[in-house]
Amino acid sequence: MKVIAVTNQKGGCGKTITSINLASALAGMGKKILLIDLDPQAHATMALGIDIQEPSESSYALFESFINKKEFDTWALTHNKHRNLSVIGSHISLSTIEQKITSAKDALRIFYNVVENKIPSEYDYVVVDTPPNLGFLTLNAILSADRLVIPIDVSIFSLNAVEQINKILEISEGMGFKKPEINFLITLFDGRSNFAKEFLQKTKVFLKGNLLSTIIRSNIKLREAVLYKKTIFEHALYANGAKDYASLAQEIVPELKGELVMLEEKAAVPQESGEMKALETFFKLHAPDAKNVYLVGTFNNWTVDSSYMMKRLEDGTWIKNVPLRSGTYYYKFIVDGKWREDPSNNKFENDKLGGRNSVLLVKTG
């Protein structure tokens, strides 16, 4: 699992749009992606249509756990936007974290420790959207990153980040942190402008090998997508913005060269339709010592989703009702992060990893 932090202390350079659409491009090309919004303004969260009411449902919980010395359930914070794209959103309360813990020992290692120990290894990439500053939250993201993507619009102010980032990395290396790969990305580029062309040439000389060859062109469709709470690939698949972010994903992950972006919707809960009706199907597991249990299977594309978290009864039994149409389904339980077949079901099928999936036959009508 690799961490890509998208950062620049300057606002208005396309940082959040880059975070969203780089993550969705990688997901649409088959990589399993977790997008984490660390900006208290929660622009990435809102741009994807995710509504978070409580701080405990957001990335705030990642840092609060450090303060309160309490465990948190990563899956409970995760929103599955698409089949390969999950999101941990942000909340305005995140802006108070720096004052609460900035002086604490290892405060700058909090997010690093979260990524190393709490984020499931099933993700190929974690993409982090950061605040438009070089404060506590951004530093946490930078010190956790394998790669920094720094969007720069056609403005001299965007280049101010170069010197600041280099200073931070020098200090972090002295603290024992890994040095990430640094990539600068030209955004909001208007090829009709002579100034933009001149800026590009000077930037190539100034940044040398750290400048990505992909250029994100000015494209109104990118802004429209945010307005409609969609990724560019959902809103305008053939627009220049979609082509540019697909190119960016392929440049960062060369093995994806030639792949098409095909975002698949997450599996929907079956509803009544025509003659075929969904039957409320009851799942249960006795696990009195478990802290959390999830139900996954072919009915939800084997996706760990907060909507499939099971409810615990007083006797330690975990239950979940799922409406299913007629058909054969394969499923498992995830108990405190470990996959288990259903011990009360003697019907099973071997899976490709040497384990077993429980089998359920549903007949309606």
Side-chain angles (χ1 to χ4, degrees):
M1 182 174 65
K2 300 292 185 182
V3 179
I4 301 173
V6 183
T7 185
N8 193 325
Q9 66 196 71
K10 178 184 178 297
C13 59
K15 177 180 60 61
T16 295
I17 286 178
T18 295
S19 299
I20 293 169
N21 291 304
L22 171 59
S24 58
L26 291 170
M29 293 179 185
K31 296 297 182 181
K32 196 162 181 62
I33 307 300
L34 176 62
L35 172 63
I36 300 180
D37 189 353
L38 286 189
D39 186 350
Q41 298 176 96
H43 287 170
T45 305
M46 292 185 287
L48 290 172
I50 297 171
D51 182 26
I52 294 180
Q53 298 295 326
E54 300 295 331
S56 59
E57 301 171 353
S58 73
S59 55
Y60 177 87
L62 307 180
F63 295 88
E64 185 185 40
S65 66
F66 178 84
I67 301 172
N68 299 332
K69 307 299 181 185
K70 291 183 179 179
E71 292 292 321
F72 64 87
D73 183 359
T74 306
W75 295 120
L77 303 176
T78 303
H79 300 260
N80 289 310
K81 183 67 179 176
H82 294 283
R83 186 173 183 180
N84 288 326
L85 177 59
S86 300
V87 182
I88 294 180
S90 186
H91 189 275
I92 188 62
S93 295
L94 195 58
S95 62
T96 67
I97 282 293
E98 182 169 1
Q99 287 71 37
K100 292 180 179 180
I101 57 178
T102 187
S103 61
K105 182 181 179 181
D106 291 333
L108 291 178
R109 292 180 179 268
I110 296 175
F111 192 68
Y112 174 83
N113 289 330
V114 166
V115 170
E116 290 294 313
N117 303 310
K118 300 296 182 181
I119 301 301
S121 59
E122 67 181 70
Y123 292 106
D124 296 306
Y125 292 92
V126 175
V127 178
V128 187
D129 188 37
T130 63
N133 57 55
L134 291 177
F136 172 77
L137 294 169
T138 301
L139 289 176
N140 259 268
I142 289 175
L143 298 178
S144 307
D146 298 287
R147 181 190 295 266
L148 299 182
V149 174
I150 305 171
I152 51 176
D153 62 339
V154 183
S155 163
I156 191 64
F157 300 113
S158 282
L159 293 175
N160 288 341
V162 179
E163 185 177 352
Q164 296 295 327
I165 291 291
N166 286 333
K167 288 180 179 179
I168 289 172
L169 294 178
E170 287 179 12
I171 295 172
S172 67
E173 280 192 272
M175 295 170 62
F177 285 94
K178 60 189 175 185
K179 184 176 181 179
E181 185 173 348
I182 304 175
N183 296 136
F184 292 89
L185 172 70
I186 297 288
T187 60
L188 303 172
F189 184 79
D190 183 353
R192 298 168 299 180
S193 164
N194 289 330
F195 172 75
K197 294 175 183 177
E198 183 180 348
F199 178 86
L200 176 59
Q201 293 307 314
K202 289 182 177 180
T203 303
K204 286 180 178 179
V205 174
F206 181 60
L207 297 177
K208 299 179 182 178
N210 290 326
L211 183 65
L212 291 163
S213 60
T214 298
I215 294 174
I216 308 300
R217 291 166 284 183
S218 293
N219 184 213
I220 190 62
K221 294 297 182 182
L222 288 168
R223 295 186 181 184
E224 287 179 2
V226 172
L227 178 64
Y228 297 128
K229 302 186 186 307
K230 295 181 177 182
T231 69
I232 186 61
F233 304 102
E234 297 169 280
H235 176 60
L237 181 59
Y238 300 105
N240 285 338
K243 295 175 183 177
D244 293 344
Y245 278 108
S247 176
L248 174 63
Q250 292 169 347
E251 183 172 1
I252 289 177
V253 186
E255 68 187 70
L256 298 177
K257 191 75 172 178
E259 291 289 334
L260 299 176
V261 177
M262 300 178 65
L263 279 177
E264 297 181 37
E265 292 295 331
K266 65 177 184 178
V269 175
Q271 302 294 327
E272 294 188 4
S273 176
E275 297 180 356
M276 183 175 287
K277 295 183 178 181
L279 176 70
E280 285 290 334
T281 307
F282 182 72
F283 295 85
K284 70 176 182 177
L285 175 71
H286 187 68
D289 297 326
K291 295 179 179 178
N292 55 73
V293 179
Y294 291 85
L295 175 65
V296 296
T298 51
F299 41 77
N300 70 350
N301 288 324
W302 299 97
T303 300
V304 182
D305 190 329
S306 57
S307 62
Y308 284 88
M309 178 187 289
M310 300 181 73
K311 179 181 179 180
R312 190 184 191 279
L313 303 180
E314 291 185 0
D315 67 351
T317 299
W318 297 76
I319 61 171
K320 181 67 181 176
N321 281 330
V322 180
L324 298 175
R325 297 192 184 104
S326 293
T328 300
Y329 298 90
Y330 303 90
Y331 69 97
K332 279 184 177 178
F333 301 110
I334 300 181
V335 182
D336 294 337
K338 297 182 179 179
W339 296 60
R340 290 175 51 180
E341 62 189 89
D342 187 347
S344 65
N345 184 354
N346 59 10
K347 296 180 180 179
F348 61 87
E349 182 179 271
N350 294 330
D351 62 25
K352 297 178 180 179
L353 300 177
R356 302 197 300 189
N357 296 325
S358 297
V359 181
L360 175 67
L361 178 63
V362 177
K363 293 182 178 181
T364 61

